[in-house]
Every structure is written in structure tokens, then in C-alpha cells.
Amino acid sequence: MKLSLVDAFTDVPFAGNPAAVCLLDRDASASWRQSVARELGYSETAFLRPLGSDAIEIRWFTPTMEVDLCGHATLASAHFLWEGKIAMAGRPIRFESKSGSLFARGSEGAIELDFPEETAREVPPPSGIVDALGVDPRWFGRNRLDYLVLVERESEVRGLRPDFARLATACSEGRGVMVTARSEDPAFDFVSRFFAPSSGIDEDPVTGSAHCCLGPFWAERLGKNDLRGFQASARGGAVSVRTRGNGRVYLGGAAVTIFRGELAVPE
């Protein structure tokens, strides 16, 4: 079975967010996929299985659990399929996932993902999350996947040093927490970081699925539908976001292959 490591949401190696991509030659159990993901140790491993309807089944596993949606590993998967000539160049790829149908298209030398919008609603902040982050929220919300915290300044986002043990307990009912602020760099509209210790990831370098929430959130506040976000992790990565008020979010970015190989341990 083909196995690659791809850095997503970057056009240079060793930046963005690394994802392992495994092309299955048969169906495989969730427990086996989980074992592979734990062995590889990346924030997400995407498992691809061709379906008979010109679609690709995609499932995502962190080192500790399966998740319902992952942007960077989907972008990495599209790059893997086109680069390996497994999918036809110039034609969209349809992924079937636990979050429904997802689409990838080539766009001006980059890849654009067509994902569901994951809008957050305002909720009272649980004290455990706020305390573990050490922030003073200007707005606090939640969607079906994550919590969202708005802070006043970019420097607060960049300077966060969460207590991950406390945050894992406080976020046990969700996947993770996004912290965001308006960007002070005119090249970007907003900055963010994403923490998911309860999912086995203290800090995710670049989180495409978080931008399914961040895009609509900032589009409403800034009065624009085409935005650029920067995820200010140690590796860092840029995500372009388009919203069109149709319940979908369009995420753009580049990807770079780091290695190609074969998985030697079958199901």
C-alpha cells in the first residue's frame, strides 16, 4: 500500500502541517488504521480507498482517535492523488467522508477544498478552558467540532502558553479549541492557533477544518468574503478562505511531498 508524507498549506518543505496519506488496496478495520496512525505519530493520517463511483473514501485518524473532518490531510490527499496520477489532472476529486461529500479542485497552482461551513454560536465560556488558555475572551463560541475564542490582539494569540493537561480535561466534550484575533499584518485578515490535547494533539500546526468556522466568523466581522488566514504555530501556514453564503467554505493552499514509500504491514 502506497504511503506518503505531505506538508500541507505550504509551498516549501518542512513548514505547514504534515499529514501521512495511505492508499489502501483493500478495506481495513478501524483498529488497524488507528494502529498505523499511532505508529506514524502525525497529527493526522488519511486513509484513502477508491469507491466504484469515481469517488474516494477518506477517513482521518490522529494518534489516538478517528475524527470527522480534517482539512490539511484532505489537501495532502488531493496532492498525493494528482501527483501520483491516481486521479486525472484537471478533474475535481470527490471524497466521501463522515462529514459528507468533499471536493478538491486545482486552482492557479494551488488546491482548493470545498468543505461544509461549521459556524460557531456564542455560548458562555467554560471556566476550565479560559483558565487553561490564560486568556481574556472578547467572544466565546462553539460549533459541532470545536470551541472558538476571540481575543483582542494578535500578540495574545502568538504568546499563548496553554496548560495542556488542564485543557485536555476542559475540552473533553469537543475536539479542540481555536483562538483567533485580527491580523496586524496587512497580508492577512486574521491569525489563529488550534489546540486539541484531548484528541492527542497539543497544538496542530495548520488546521484546515478550523477555517470552516474561522472563515464565516471573520467574513461577518470584516464585511468581506475572500480572506487570508495565518495559523501562527511554530511551523506556521497560510490558508485562503472563500465564503459564498451557501453553507460551504472554500479553503485554498499548496502542498509539498516529503517522502514516498510503501506500508509493509497489511491488515
Side-chain angles (χ1 to χ4, degrees), residues 115-222:
F115 268 34
E117 187 175 290
E118 299 287 353
T119 306
R121 69 187 188 282
E122 188 169 13
V123 298
S127 60
I129 293 178
V130 171
D131 292 344
L133 290 170
V135 297
D136 180 16
R138 293 293 178 262
W139 189 94
F140 192 98
R142 182 172 182 180
N143 63 16
R144 74 182 181 96
L145 300 171
D146 306 306
Y147 295 97
L148 173 61
V149 182
L150 172 67
V151 296
E152 185 69 26
R153 294 179 298 278
E154 178 176 331
S155 59
E156 294 179 70
V157 176
R158 291 182 176 273
L160 282 171
R161 299 293 183 271
D163 182 328
F164 290 118
R166 294 177 65 189
L167 192 60
T169 301
C171 289
S172 60
E173 295 183 2
R175 182 183 65 164
V177 55
M178 303 166 268
V179 184
T180 188
R182 188 165 183 173
S183 176
E184 297 166 10
D185 181 345
F188 298 97
D189 296 292
F190 61 91
V191 297
S192 67
R193 289 172 69 187
F194 185 85
F195 308 104
S198 62
S199 301
I201 310 160
D202 283 350
E203 180 169 5
D204 196 36
V206 191
T207 316
S209 59
H211 289 74
C212 296
C213 177
L214 292 165
F217 180 83
W218 283 108
E220 180 180 351
R221 281 155 181 78
L222 299 178

Side-chain angles (χ1 to χ4, degrees), residues 28-258:
S29 68
S31 61
W32 179 86
R33 298 183 201 214
Q34 187 64 74
S35 295
V36 173
R38 183 170 55 250
E39 183 83 2
L40 295 173
Y42 300 110
S43 60
E44 260 89 14
T45 298
F47 293 91
L48 310 180
R49 185 170 66 93
L51 303 174
S53 55
D54 293 329
I56 304 287
E57 178 194 71
I58 185 167
R59 292 172 68 178
W60 311 275
F61 288 77
T62 77
T64 62
M65 64 186 294
E66 183 174 8
V67 296
D68 287 347
L69 189 65
C70 178
H72 85 277
T74 306
L75 189 143
S77 297
H79 173 82
F80 167 90
L81 292 168
W82 279 321
E83 185 178 63
K85 298 181 172 30
I86 300 161
M88 185 178 296
R91 292 185 59 181
I93 298 171
R94 175 165 62 92
F95 295 104
E96 293 298 335
S97 77
K98 290 191 172 183
S99 290
S101 297
L102 312 172
F103 299 88
R105 300 177 178 88
S107 176
E108 299 179 353
I111 297 169
E112 185 173 76
L113 304 177
D114 178 344
F115 268 34
E117 187 175 290
E118 299 287 353
T119 306
R121 69 187 188 282
E122 188 169 13
V123 298
S127 60
I129 293 178
V130 171
D131 292 344
L133 290 170
V135 297
D136 180 16
R138 293 293 178 262
W139 189 94
F140 192 98
R142 182 172 182 180
N143 63 16
R144 74 182 181 96
L145 300 171
D146 306 306
Y147 295 97
L148 173 61
V149 182
L150 172 67
V151 296
E152 185 69 26
R153 294 179 298 278
E154 178 176 331
S155 59
E156 294 179 70
V157 176
R158 291 182 176 273
L160 282 171
R161 299 293 183 271
D163 182 328
F164 290 118
R166 294 177 65 189
L167 192 60
T169 301
C171 289
S172 60
E173 295 183 2
R175 182 183 65 164
V177 55
M178 303 166 268
V179 184
T180 188
R182 188 165 183 173
S183 176
E184 297 166 10
D185 181 345
F188 298 97
D189 296 292
F190 61 91
V191 297
S192 67
R193 289 172 69 187
F194 185 85
F195 308 104
S198 62
S199 301
I201 310 160
D202 283 350
E203 180 169 5
D204 196 36
V206 191
T207 316
S209 59
H211 289 74
C212 296
C213 177
L214 292 165
F217 180 83
W218 283 108
E220 180 180 351
R221 281 155 181 78
L222 299 178
K224 56 191 295 189
N225 293 323
D226 292 3
L227 306 107
R228 278 183 60 78
F230 182 76
Q231 193 154 331
S233 65
R235 291 173 66 101
V239 183
S240 65
V241 188
R242 295 193 299 121
T243 63
R244 292 296 181 264
N246 61 355
R248 308 293 291 183
V249 176
Y250 305 91
L251 309 174
V256 181
T257 299
I258 301 301

